[in-house]
Amino acid sequence: MSDSHVNPKNVEDQVIVITGASSGIGLTTARMAADRGANIVAAARSEDALRELTDEIRAEGGEAEYVVADVSKREDVREIAQIAENAFGRFDTWVNGAAVSIYGKLEEVPVEEMRQQFDTNVWGLLYGSLEAAAHFEETDRGGTVVNIGSIVSDRAMIEQGSYSASKHAVKGFTDALRMELEDEGAPVSVTLVKPSAIDTPYPQHAKNYMDEEATLPPPVYAPETVARTILHAAEHPEREVTVGVGGKNMVLLGRTASSLMDTIMETVFARQQRKDSPAQPREEHGLDEPSGELEERGGYEGHVAESSLYTRIRQGRIPKAAVVGLAGTALYAGYRAIRSRDRDERTGRTGDEETDTHRSRTERLSIAGR
């Protein structure tokens, strides 16, 4: 996106609309944006959760309004825009974060439920994007649309076929909308954010057709990594950004060695998405009903990365000097490793032997020092 078409305000001067704001990435983004001084319009299906969130933001000195909305209904999305304009006179960034998930093989998931999933994940995002773009063009103030895709926008995930298909559609729509707006010279920035696996209540809210409880395949990142990425995009126009090098590597391997990635999916990822415990009752899911609770994280049992160095570098959130320093450190480490290997090959000594020799020398010096 050309900077000449869009000149975003700082986050603290913006009105930000967020759909899916009652949990996970949407909730984390709403809180982080409010902490930075933005005015928030939070939309989701659960009124109790939204009321609690807006009360929380106001109690801390911020400004927030909420809209009970099902984004699969276009009239609800239009109401979000209307309430934002009534409350604040405008909005500057619109974040399409609402989504629902389903685990299970495509042959086992009812087609009607896949369609319901698309109504939220694709049509809801489409309605929001068009509503926001029309607002920005009509007011001529400009603004930003941030669409939350996924790593599975680029590489389908086994056991999440319908979700992957919906996120592929999100990428296709977002790319097409961006090109059309650029071609018109419209003052609208359109960013696609593609998170890796994120520790949110996503598995717990999913409708699950597997026999085991659903979980996330590692590496898993904190929702704050995505929230920071979204808010950076709200201030700095960019085409798309991946959150987490783990997901980026999965996509790259899928492009360069597709058959190998298929095999890894079938043998590794299928297992990594299942816990060693029975699935919860299938009636308990977020496809039909909201959870009603403010939950940022899902309690992932493994390691959760609190930041993504790759994403920070990708968005220029690390000074160039630091990037050069990191690269130099990595190159030096690689050089030392090669020198060590070459030395081992010349002497016929293994790395373990050299370590043992070093340890013995150190122990002798230590004894002599006593």
Side-chain angles (χ1 to χ4, degrees), residues 51 53-66:
R51 185 184 297 111
L53 172 62
T54 53
D55 288 348
E56 171 191 305
I57 291 173
R58 290 167 181 168
E60 295 176 1
E63 292 291 336
E65 296 289 337
Y66 73 80

Side-chain angles (χ1 to χ4, degrees), residues 14-340:
Q14 290 197 29
V15 177
I16 301 180
V17 174
I18 303 171
T19 70
S22 63
S23 69
I25 292 168
L27 174 59
T28 307
T29 304
R31 284 171 166 164
M32 187 178 291
D35 286 345
R36 290 184 54 183
N39 294 333
I40 304 299
V41 180
R45 293 176 294 170
S46 174
E47 184 167 12
D48 289 344
L50 290 172
R51 185 184 297 111
E52 183 181 348
L53 172 62
T54 53
D55 288 348
E56 171 191 305
I57 291 173
R58 290 167 181 168
E60 295 176 1
E63 292 291 336
E65 296 289 337
Y66 73 80
V67 188
V68 180
D70 181 344
V71 297
S72 68
K73 300 173 182 177
R74 192 168 193 180
E75 59 271 22
D76 282 16
V77 175
R78 285 174 170 155
E79 185 180 4
I80 297 171
Q82 189 60 55
I83 289 178
E85 292 185 46
N86 291 344
F88 299 110
R90 70 182 202 283
F91 54 87
D92 305 288
T93 295
W94 183 296
V95 181
N96 285 303
V100 291
S101 48
I102 302 175
Y103 281 81
K105 297 185 184 301
L106 291 169
E107 293 179 322
E108 298 172 356
V109 178
V111 171
E112 295 77 14
E113 293 186 354
M114 296 187 200
R115 184 183 297 275
Q116 187 178 351
Q117 184 178 44
F118 266 65
D119 284 343
T120 297
N121 296 9
V122 181
W123 288 104
L125 179 140
L126 182 150
Y127 296 149
S129 298
L130 295 178
E131 193 69 32
H135 170 83
F136 296 143
E137 290 183 282
E138 288 169 6
T139 61
D140 202 34
R141 283 192 294 262
T144 301
V145 176
V146 180
N147 286 341
I148 309 304
S150 170
I151 284 302
V152 301
S153 294
D154 293 324
R155 172 69 211 190
M157 177 71 71
I158 193 169
E159 303 286 6
Q160 295 190 58
S162 60
Y163 183 79
S164 299
S166 74
K167 291 301 185 178
H168 270 63
V170 163
K171 176 175 169 56
F173 168 77
T174 302
D175 288 347
L177 178 64
R178 183 190 305 107
M179 288 187 289
E180 290 178 4
L181 292 170
E182 286 179 355
D183 185 53
E184 295 170 6
V188 186
S189 169
V190 180
T191 297
L192 178 65
V193 174
K194 299 182 295 184
S196 300
I198 305 297
D199 180 26
T200 69
Y202 174 96
Q204 294 91 330
H205 292 175
K207 190 157 190 181
N208 183 10
Y209 283 88
M210 304 187 301
D211 293 331
E212 300 85 4
E213 187 177 350
T215 187
L216 300 167
V220 175
Y221 297 83
E224 287 82 359
T225 61
V226 189
R228 286 190 290 267
T229 301
I230 291 169
L231 296 184
H232 186 273
E235 293 179 317
H236 306 279
E238 55 190 318
R239 186 178 186 278
E240 67 175 56
V241 58
T242 298
V243 182
V245 74
K248 184 65 174 180
N249 288 339
M250 185 181 80
V251 171
L252 290 174
L253 182 59
R255 288 174 179 167
T256 57
S258 300
S259 296
L260 174 60
M261 192 66 229
D262 286 349
T263 301
I264 293 173
M265 282 281 180
E266 295 156 13
T267 58
V268 178
F269 280 81
R271 184 177 66 254
Q272 287 183 335
Q273 295 180 89
R274 300 169 183 264
K275 286 186 175 182
D276 293 329
S277 56
Q280 63 185 6
R282 194 166 295 157
E283 293 74 24
E284 299 177 11
H285 60 82
L287 190 63
D288 295 326
E289 299 292 337
S291 67
E293 298 180 3
L294 292 179
E295 298 174 302
E296 290 187 3
R297 300 208 181 193
Y300 180 71
E301 295 173 357
H303 173 69
V304 176
E306 296 296 327
S307 65
S308 169
L309 179 61
Y310 162 78
T311 304
R312 289 160 63 198
I313 292 173
R314 167 68 178 76
Q315 288 192 303
R317 288 187 276 139
I318 293 181
K320 289 183 179 179
V323 174
V324 171
L326 288 168
T329 300
L331 287 171
Y332 180 68
Y335 168 76
R336 288 290 303 271
I338 293 171
R339 285 289 304 272
S340 177

